[in-house]
Amino acid sequence: MLLEGLLDDTALGLRQAAGGTRAEVYGVHASEMADPSPYLLGGELLLTAGQELGPDPEAYAAYVARLVTAGVAALGFGVAPVHEEVPEALVRACAEQGLPLMEVPPGTPFTAVARAVWRLMAEARTRELRRVTEAQQALAAAAARPDPVPAVLRRLAVTLGGWVGVLPTDQAPAAGSPAPRPPRLGPAAEPSRAVAAPQAAGPSPSEGVLLALGELAHRVGTGGPATATDTVGTEHLSAYALGRDPVLVLALATPARTPGDHTIAGVAAVLLTLLTARRAPGGGEASALVRLLLGGSAEEALGGARRIVVHARGAGDPAALAAGLGTSLYAAEGPYVRLLLPAEHAPAPRPQPGWRMGVSAPAEPDGLIVADAQAARALERAESARAPLAHHVEAGFGGLVGAAEARAYAEALLGPLNPVQRATLRSWLAHHGSWDRTAVALEVHRNTVRQRISRAAVLLGLDLDDPDVRMELWFALRSWGERG
């Protein structure tokens, strides 16, 4: 939130004593320490009554210097009971060092200021979330137009208030070469030919900005990071890799950068990746994603087709992994990649060099969340077994824990029991705690069964009448492998 939001709250009665009102506040903290910097993260509105600040003007200058070094966004000084007014030395120090200073009147508790900060921050988050949601819907609607790439670029330029362009990396300006004129939008074309030349929208940037964007484009378009950012003067630059076939980059130059801008640009990058890939226009995965972004359900967007979720971890190129598995729907987070594959009329995923993968069971569109969890657990099994590939196995609750982990836990839990006691306990649980049926199954007297079970309860330190305990012991005995 901006500091001016607090000053506009007439109920608080705050007064600006020094500095500007555009400071960005990320939190609030109250302290009477002469040096609170060890307890600050930066970006706080610090509230104090000046209890530890004496009459020495140099002490105020040193105090403000410590706050500036700690990254304090602004200082709120409470008048009374320690000081009858904001000390002039503090006002002068804040003005000289550029720290915004507010006077908090006697009738305004610090808690009221803190509540106002959290309220304004919540309102700012809500506004940004609404802005991102509306931008996402507008971009999805633009992607459904007959000329989707230019439409998405125009909408993105309007939303972010800057210049945006899709550049083939071999046409992006590089350092040491003359900057070309900003590319202009061409006529509508099929997605397979829509990026034969650069396309852009928004106010034309300067040559220096174009050159910096060209360097970012080369960085993300030649096997580097998926995104990169830079700043030239007051312009905020960003580049997003769109795909490998063809090699394209989404470049942006905007006068400001808000927390939601990256999310909005990311949505546009996903849409443009699908729209510029070499595939028939208006159908397939791109159409499904557009329908989903426009508010449809997963079942409606995917047309009821079943899918397989794959989780992978490795050091290779995620785009190459996706191509090897025959899909363009993937999300990469460092060495971790999640992919969505068609389940019908497609070969089962095969091991890929340099990757370990976990594969879910085929799932309907409304079951993809469960399939995602299945793939994650399958990947854990593949990594623990050092196997290149593991498939989800339907095994009920018992299959949710890896075999090695379950065996280790079973050995720790059942370690105090000897083989005879474990066999008796297993049979007793299998017969639902019946002394007579357990005795018949083990061919012993029922009093022997009682004695063994009682001794097992003492050794384990557990209440065997508790159904939760019985269930845990049953799973442990199964993992141990005893057969009674």
Side-chain angles (χ1 to χ4, degrees), residues 213-418:
L213 282 173
E215 294 179 2
L216 290 182
H218 281 287
R219 189 187 309 172
V220 302
T222 55
T227 63
T229 61
D230 196 2
T231 302
V232 175
T234 60
E235 293 290 314
H236 298 272
L237 314 182
S238 305
Y240 297 77
L242 297 185
R244 303 295 178 187
D245 183 26
V247 180
L248 300 169
V249 171
L250 171 63
L252 304 95
T254 57
R257 181 180 293 155
T258 66
D261 286 351
H262 178 68
T263 302
I264 294 171
V267 171
V270 171
L271 290 170
L272 290 169
T273 298
L274 295 171
L275 293 170
T276 57
R278 300 190 185 279
R279 59 169 61 88
E285 294 163 345
S287 177
L289 181 58
V290 168
R291 290 196 299 271
L292 185 60
L293 290 174
L294 284 171
S297 66
E299 184 174 3
E300 293 171 345
L302 298 175
R306 298 200 304 166
R307 303 281 168 150
I308 293 173
V309 179
V310 176
H311 283 216
R313 194 190 306 274
D317 181 5
L321 172 65
L325 295 176
T327 182
S328 62
L329 295 181
Y330 71 95
E333 299 177 1
Y336 193 79
V337 184
R338 294 193 298 175
L339 309 98
L340 196 60
L341 283 63
E344 306 295 343
H345 311 295
R350 296 182 179 180
Q352 301 293 315
W355 296 91
R356 284 201 171 94
M357 300 190 303
V359 182
S360 76
E364 303 294 338
D366 59 356
L368 290 178
I369 294 179
V370 174
D372 187 59
Q374 293 175 352
R377 291 194 296 269
L379 177 59
E380 291 177 358
R381 293 202 308 274
E383 291 182 324
S384 63
R386 299 182 180 275
L389 182 68
H391 289 266
H392 170 71
V393 178
E394 293 290 349
F397 283 106
L400 299 180
V401 180
E405 184 180 0
R407 173 78 185 202
Y409 178 74
E411 291 177 352
L413 178 64
L414 302 173
L417 306 184
N418 60 38

Side-chain angles (χ1 to χ4, degrees), residues 7-32:
L7 294 169
D8 292 339
D9 190 337
T10 56
L12 296 176
L14 305 179
R15 182 182 68 85
Q16 185 78 19
T21 63
R22 300 292 296 176
E24 295 181 347
V25 176
Y26 294 90
V28 61
H29 182 71
S31 174
E32 297 302 326

Side-chain angles (χ1 to χ4, degrees), residues 18 57 87-97 101:
E88 182 60 32
L90 179 62
V91 175
R92 184 168 55 253
C94 288
E96 292 174 352
Q97 301 186 46
L101 173 63

Side-chain angles (χ1 to χ4, degrees), residues 170-192:
D170 57 358
Q171 299 182 35
S177 64
R181 294 181 61 83
R184 298 186 180 277
L185 289 172
E190 296 179 4
S192 61

Side-chain angles (χ1 to χ4, degrees), residues 125-152:
R125 284 192 295 268
T126 301
R127 287 194 301 270
E128 193 67 9
L129 179 59
R130 184 181 299 112
R131 172 176 172 262
V132 169
T133 301
E134 293 174 351
Q136 174 180 296
Q137 294 172 346
L139 288 169
R145 292 174 58 87
D147 53 347
V149 174
V152 169

